[in-house]
Amino acid sequence: MQSIQAAHLHLYNSKMKNSIKERRTVRKFSNKPVPESLIYELLETAFRAPTMGNMQLYSVVITQDEAKKKDLATAHFNQPMVAEAPYLLTFCADFNRVTQWCDLRNAHAGYDNFQSFLNAFSDALLVLQTFTVLAEAERLGTCYLGTALYNPEQIIEKLGLPTLVFPVAALSVGYPQEYPSQVERLPASALIHKETYQAYDAQRIEDIYKEKEALEVNREFVRINKVETLAQVFADIRYKKTDNEYFSEKLLNVLKQQGFLK
Amino acid sequence: MQSIQAAHLHLYNSKMKNSIKERRTVRKFSNKPVPESLIYELLETAFRAPTMGNMQLYSVVITQDEAKKKDLATAHFNQPMVAEAPYLLTFCADFNRVTQWCDLRNAHAGYDNFQSFLNAFSDALLVLQTFTVLAEAERLGTCYLGTALYNPEQIIEKLGLPTLVFPVAALSVGYPQEYPSQVERLPASALIHKETYQAYDAQRIEDIYKEKEALEVNREFVRINKVETLAQVFADIRYKKTDNEYFSEKLLNVLKQQGFLK
């Protein structure tokens, strides 16, 4: 029995690792229906993720309605998968529910602050990523939408999020209609530090990024964007200082509006 | 072949779901050694988690040295598992590496702001949770330490984190020496909203929390703390307004110090 169990564990682990090793973000979804019961079941399982003091500081909004998804797509810079995927899941940091519970129980909730925001933000992401791993193991495809942090005020309005609720990220979910090639990653050793943080120097940065920069797909990316280096594609075109500063200011204002920055 | 593959997929999925469904936080670790190569392999696989624009805005510090773990434990309110577990992994938001790369490549990095902080914070948590799922499937135990957000300045100093690097959370990792009973969760339906957010009213809050409040373990919790309600244990004792406000102010100061709030 022992050895059969061990063999099952091995099979299971290697398959699970493979699902994560082989993952790619999916942006084109098939018409194959995804049972709502499956989404619920996977979410319920994902709610087993660690959560601060077992307070479960999150809510998940499942949007299936076509018109509603189209409406929400505008908040996500009209990325087509938002409306096209059968499900849009918006994972929210939520201290509203706990605060209402405290109010009803003669307890003095004090969660209208930045620390509590980051606690709930963390809780929501741990659930989101657990759901992602589960969904991909079911051969569903997902696309992580960090755009929730760019236009949170629009999502708040469209989903009716009350105070002490904030949209952390969204996920498009459905069966894939594409099997895109996998994007590269930096060498793992570049991201792992032993005992303490090992500061990077110029030579180490050269070593870490040389393979990435040499890839034909990234060289093409530089040519298309008419710049000199891949780093310029990121810093001067895609994720620019002026944009980051504009969205930072907006983000802090929305956090205030939602009651998280007293 | 098709049906054998389908059977394998089913076995694999149900086992993976079970690993997550049955998870509990582990706080006591055995002496059984964990190969460093396993930790590296699981981290490398976890680096497949979604990341903003494929920038991989994180670093992981692996601490094994006994004296170093003991030193770090003070930053985590001396929780015993920090020094006792064979590994302490500190997951950091990291825009330092990308910024250095941009500097070397004549690109104008603009990541010294709040938006970029939250982007890197998210990246780090997606990797952390992917690692957690992988590690638990290998029968390792983990304990999530949100305490990094309480004393970040101590962790920054002890690990030597430079500007644009911030400790998001830590994880104690090792083989379990205990199999604690599983804590309860709220009914999944309480956390899931259809199409838009459904605001909670007093009756719904009563319905959602009644099972939790009725559990003997939670009733005992109320008695031990000499309060009247479970909500008071959370709001008036464990996660108090005055503490949250104190740590919020410190957190914002440390973010400034690390260069994320220009």
Side-chain angles (χ1 to χ4, degrees), chain A residues 8-9 11-13 15-17 19-21 23 36 40-41 45 47-49 51-56 59-65 68 94 97 100-101 104-108 110-115 119 121-122 125-126 129-130 133-134 137-139 149-150 158-160 162 165 182-186 191-197 200 205-206 209 212-213 229 231-232 234-236 239 241 244 247-248 251-252, chain B residues 8-9 11-13 15-17 19-21 23 36 40-41 45 47-49 51-56 59-65 68 94 97 100-101 104-108 110-115 119 121-122 125-126 129-130 133-134 137-139 149-150 158-162 165 182-186 191-197 200 205-206 209 212-213 229 231-232 234-236 239 241 244 247-248 251-252:
Chain A
H8 275 182
L9 176 64
L11 176 72
Y12 149 46
N13 286 343
K15 288 210 169 206
M16 179 164 114
K17 263 188 271 184
S19 166
I20 297 175
K21 260 185 195 156
R23 83 167 294 279
E36 204 175 328
Y40 269 73
E41 186 199 337
T45 305
F47 293 157
R48 276 282 152 207
T51 158
M52 190 174 83
N54 199 13
M55 288 198 281
Q56 301 187 262
S59 275
V60 184
V61 185
I62 302 179
T63 307
Q64 278 186 274
D65 180 72
K68 199 78 203 159
D94 191 334
R97 183 176 53 241
Q100 285 203 51
W101 178 49
L104 283 171
R105 294 292 185 264
N106 198 26
H108 302 87
Y111 304 115
D112 51 357
N113 50 66
F114 185 58
Q115 174 86 12
N119 293 145
F121 191 93
S122 302
L125 280 177
L126 298 180
Q129 186 56 11
T130 309
V133 169
L134 287 163
E138 293 281 343
R139 304 282 161 99
L149 293 182
Y150 291 80
K158 290 171 198 298
L159 294 182
V165 181
Q182 203 179 34
V183 295
E184 82 283 357
R185 288 286 191 262
L186 296 174
L191 313 166
I192 297 175
H193 304 250
K194 288 188 75 163
E195 301 300 343
T196 54
Y197 192 94
Y200 300 91
I205 296 287
E206 295 284 351
Y209 284 94
K212 186 184 181 89
E213 292 174 316
T229 68
Q232 288 174 343
F234 288 95
D236 299 340
Y239 307 104
K241 185 176 175 67
N244 297 336
F247 287 114
S248 291
L251 200 42
L252 286 163
Chain B
H8 275 181
L9 176 64
L11 175 72
Y12 149 45
N13 285 344
K15 287 211 167 203
M16 179 163 113
K17 263 187 271 187
S19 166
I20 296 175
K21 259 184 196 158
R23 85 167 294 280
E36 205 177 328
Y40 270 72
E41 186 199 339
T45 306
F47 293 157
R48 277 282 151 209
T51 158
M52 188 173 83
N54 198 13
M55 288 198 283
Q56 300 188 261
S59 276
V60 184
V61 185
I62 302 180
T63 306
Q64 279 187 274
D65 179 73
K68 199 80 201 157
D94 191 334
R97 184 176 51 243
Q100 285 204 52
W101 178 50
L104 283 171
R105 294 292 186 264
N106 198 26
H108 302 87
Y111 305 116
D112 51 358
N113 49 67
F114 185 58
Q115 173 87 9
N119 293 144
F121 191 94
S122 302
L125 279 177
L126 298 179
Q129 187 56 12
T130 309
V133 169
L134 286 163
E138 294 281 344
R139 306 281 162 100
L149 293 181
Y150 291 79
K158 289 173 197 300
L159 294 181
L161 307 183
V165 181
Q182 203 180 33
V183 294
E184 82 283 357
R185 289 286 191 261
L186 296 175
L191 313 166
I192 296 174
H193 303 251
K194 287 187 77 162
E195 300 301 343
T196 54
Y197 192 94
Y200 300 92
I205 295 286
E206 295 284 350
Y209 284 95
K212 186 184 181 88
E213 292 174 318
T229 67
Q232 289 173 343
F234 289 95
D236 298 341
Y239 306 104
K241 185 177 175 66
N244 297 336
F247 288 113
S248 292
L251 199 42
L252 286 163

Side-chain angles (χ1 to χ4, degrees), chain B residues 235-253:
Chain B
D236 298 341
I237 295 174
R238 293 188 63 190
Y239 306 104
K240 287 194 292 195
K241 185 177 175 66
T242 46
D243 291 346
N244 297 336
E245 287 173 354
Y246 168 77
F247 288 113
S248 292
E249 201 183 324
K250 192 163 75 154
L251 199 42
L252 286 163
N253 284 336

Side-chain angles (χ1 to χ4, degrees), chain B residues 121-171:
Chain B
F121 191 94
S122 302
D123 264 24
L125 279 177
L126 298 179
V127 165
L128 178 151
Q129 187 56 12
T130 309
F131 176 86
T132 297
V133 169
L134 286 163
E136 290 176 347
E138 294 281 344
R139 306 281 162 100
L140 287 162
T142 73
C143 180
Y144 181 92
L145 299 156
T147 32
L149 293 181
Y150 291 79
N151 297 311
E153 77 290 357
Q154 292 180 36
I155 296 172
I156 287 164
E157 191 259 319
K158 289 173 197 300
L159 294 181
L161 307 183
T163 53
L164 299 182
V165 181
F166 194 92
V168 170
L171 211 59

